[in-house]
Amino acid sequence: MLFPGAVKTKLPNTGTTIFTIMSALAKEHGAINLSQGFPDFNVDPKLISLVHENMLAGHNQYAPMPGIPALRDVLAQKLESCYGTKIDSEKEITITAGGTQALYTAIAATIREGDEVIVFEPAYDSYVPAIRLHGGIPVQLQLAAPDFQIDWSQVKKAVTAKTRMIIINTPHNPTGMVMTGKDMQQLEKIVHNRDIFILSDEVYEHVIFDGLSHHSVLSYPKLAERSFVVFSFGKTVHATGWKTGYCVAPENLMAEFRRIHQYMVFAVNTPLQYALASYLAEPSTYQNIPAFYQRKRDLICQLLSKSKFDILPCFGSYFLLLDYSNISDEKDTVFAERITREHGVATIPVSVFCKNPPKDMRLIRVCFAKEDQTLAAAAEKLVAINN
Ligand code: PMP
Ligand code: GLN
């Protein structure tokens, strides 16, 4: 029985996320799933044991609202050693139910009716709906293939008196672009003397290649003072299903973040927080990630070198873009659906991450956070695609 009053949607132009659609399609057709971004290998057994031990030790009730102090202390040390910045673990870090909740809460804390938010596209798909739900106006700037660098003169032109936030994401999903120190300086100039927050999505902070270093806004004091910075344990410990992450922001911004967080989730999974606190105290747990994923990136690139796809450069994240112009002129959504059905590999069509995708864009995204055998089996199928 349906409730008699019509439900007036708050998100009229938003359907089901592409991750749900493509993972379901992969399942339906028994296809190898390189669409939704998640590892198909297991979490370190040491970490699993730590979770178990903490459950047995009785850490099973509500955690303190901002997260357990031991985890926040370890994170403050980690942030200082990685980005050279001192973070007050009591006032400036909140543990969240994944990066997505941190992004949403930061937007909820700051964006009001009519505020403009600059978003670079292709963009992770949770930003725009969160902006709209709070009455904000997304100002979507399209990044151009093949390198997807930010055009700062375009950003300068897009800034108005109503601009309240700029969302950046480095390393970038889905393009693999990473921002440089020069980008950060340009961003500093643009926000200087303006009432603009930065929401910096750094969930792939450790998934960066070719000797490049991750430029966190936390290393740039003039940016950090106005930034909410979002991280995800899902990426750092290969456990996307744990949906745990954290947000870092200066005390005054974090106070507003927590005002909402306390009524959104109150607190997140206690035994995981204890386990993560012990596990991440050992820096090798994250220091090995760049080499681990670089080998996988190189493997998939080598396996696909015989294919008809053009491989775009990837400097970070665990996603690779493939241009299929040599194979088909179908729309990417049609192509991605067809190769799932006919060739048994599920991927993500990139246009769904863009408001105004270029007409000639023929790109799909593959996730290479997979076992070598999965990558080899998927590559064999992709190499066989001729039309
Ligand atoms: N930002 C980006 C760029 C992502 O790719 C993801 C996907 N996992 C998230 C945020 C959300 O992270 P979480 O799964 O921890 O919510
Ligand atoms: N971040 C992952 C991706 O980009 C998936 C997130 C999700 O399923 N919502 O594929």
Side-chain angles (χ1 to χ4, degrees):
M1 239 260 285
L2 291 177
F3 179 67
V7 184
K8 193 165 173 233
T9 181
K10 288 186 160 191
L11 288 173
N13 302 314
T14 306
T16 305
T17 86
I18 193 67
F19 306 119
T20 302
I21 292 173
M22 292 312 297
S23 279
L25 202 67
K27 207 163 174 196
E28 185 187 335
H29 295 281
I32 300 173
N33 191 359
L34 302 190
S35 65
Q36 192 176 20
F38 61 88
D40 72 345
F41 40 86
N42 229 330
V43 172
D44 185 347
K46 210 172 103 193
L47 179 54
I48 303 275
S49 300
L50 283 167
V51 175
H52 191 210
E53 281 163 29
N54 278 289
M55 285 181 163
L56 292 175
H59 293 305
N60 299 303
Q61 309 308 331
Y62 293 129
M65 184 270 277
I68 64 160
L71 178 56
R72 287 185 281 135
D73 287 347
V74 165
L75 294 174
Q77 281 160 27
K78 176 178 184 290
L79 292 164
E80 184 169 1
S81 79
C82 292
Y83 307 122
T85 176
K86 277 215 180 306
I87 302 292
D88 180 336
S89 65
E90 205 187 308
K91 301 196 177 94
E92 299 179 329
I93 301 180
T94 298
I95 312 299
T96 60
T100 310
Q101 186 231 313
L103 292 164
Y104 189 90
T105 308
I107 290 168
T110 50
I111 299 307
R112 293 162 200 267
E113 194 70 36
D115 285 346
E116 292 177 1
V117 181
I118 294 181
V119 176
F120 300 101
E121 293 192 338
Y124 183 57
D125 70 346
S126 82
Y127 306 155
V128 166
I131 296 164
R132 288 204 195 285
L133 275 172
H134 295 93
I137 303 165
V139 176
Q140 289 132 295
L141 303 182
Q142 180 70 35
L143 302 173
D147 57 12
F148 299 97
Q149 294 297 306
I150 294 174
D151 175 350
W152 291 104
S153 60
Q154 189 193 20
V155 182
K156 215 168 154 183
K157 280 187 218 140
V159 170
T160 72
K162 289 188 183 161
T163 307
R164 191 62 52 239
M165 177 178 268
I166 299 178
I167 304 183
I168 57 171
N169 170 214
T170 181
H172 187 254
N173 174 10
T175 69
M177 173 274 281
V178 300
M179 288 173 68
T180 62
K182 280 205 177 112
D183 287 315
M184 295 298 166
Q185 285 155 11
Q186 294 285 348
L187 181 58
E188 268 178 5
K189 275 193 205 150
I190 285 180
V191 295
H192 181 66
N193 276 340
R194 287 198 168 98
D195 196 7
I196 298 178
F197 297 107
I198 293 164
L199 177 52
S200 187
D201 180 344
E202 304 187 14
V203 300
Y204 298 102
E205 62 178 326
H206 299 302
V207 192
I208 186 158
F209 314 128
D210 304 327
L212 294 168
S213 358
H214 171 58
H215 285 266
S216 172
V217 291
L218 295 173
S219 305
Y220 297 82
K222 287 186 203 141
L223 295 178
E225 66 184 17
R226 56 177 76 229
S227 293
F228 295 89
V229 196
V230 172
F231 300 95
S232 169
F233 297 116
K235 321 293 167 186
T236 303
V237 303
H238 312 301
T240 61
W242 288 6
K243 292 301 297 188
T244 44
Y246 57 105
C247 182
V248 180
E251 184 180 347
N252 56 341
L253 273 59
M254 188 49 85
E256 289 309 312
F257 183 98
R258 288 180 182 173
R259 213 190 283 274
I260 292 176
H261 173 80
Q262 64 183 341
Y263 294 119
M264 205 165 184
V265 289
F266 181 69
V268 303
N269 194 308
T270 306
L272 291 191
Q273 291 193 52
Y274 278 95
L276 288 164
S278 312
Y279 188 72
L280 294 171
E282 173 48 65
S284 65
T285 53
Y286 50 88
Q287 283 167 346
N288 297 332
I289 297 175
F292 175 81
Y293 277 123
Q294 180 167 328
R295 197 190 64 75
K296 292 202 178 284
R297 178 206 60 179
D298 293 346
L299 176 65
I300 181 107
C301 288
Q302 182 237 316
L303 290 166
L304 291 176
S305 61
K306 295 181 246 66
S307 76
K308 287 184 84 178
F309 291 97
D310 284 329
I311 303 170
L312 273 67
C314 164
F315 301 102
S317 84
Y318 44 52
F319 303 110
L320 190 65
L321 295 186
L322 303 179
D323 188 319
Y324 61 90
S325 305
N326 296 329
I327 300 173
S328 164
D329 56 11
E330 284 160 295
K331 196 171 156 16
D332 60 356
T333 43
V334 175
F335 181 75
E337 204 238 271
R338 183 170 67 80
I339 67 169
T340 309
R341 270 190 292 106
E342 293 179 2
H343 296 275
V345 185
T347 62
I348 297 281
V350 174
S351 69
V352 302
F353 298 134
C354 310
K355 182 183 177 201
N356 294 311
K359 281 214 163 41
D360 57 350
M361 193 170 85
R362 303 263 179 277
L363 296 176
I364 53 171
R365 185 196 83 172
V366 293
C367 170
F368 56 83
K370 303 292 171 190
E371 297 278 16
D372 292 0
Q373 308 91 281
T374 313
L375 295 176
E380 199 180 320
K381 291 175 187 290
L382 291 169
V383 168
I385 303 176
N386 283 311
N387 54 48

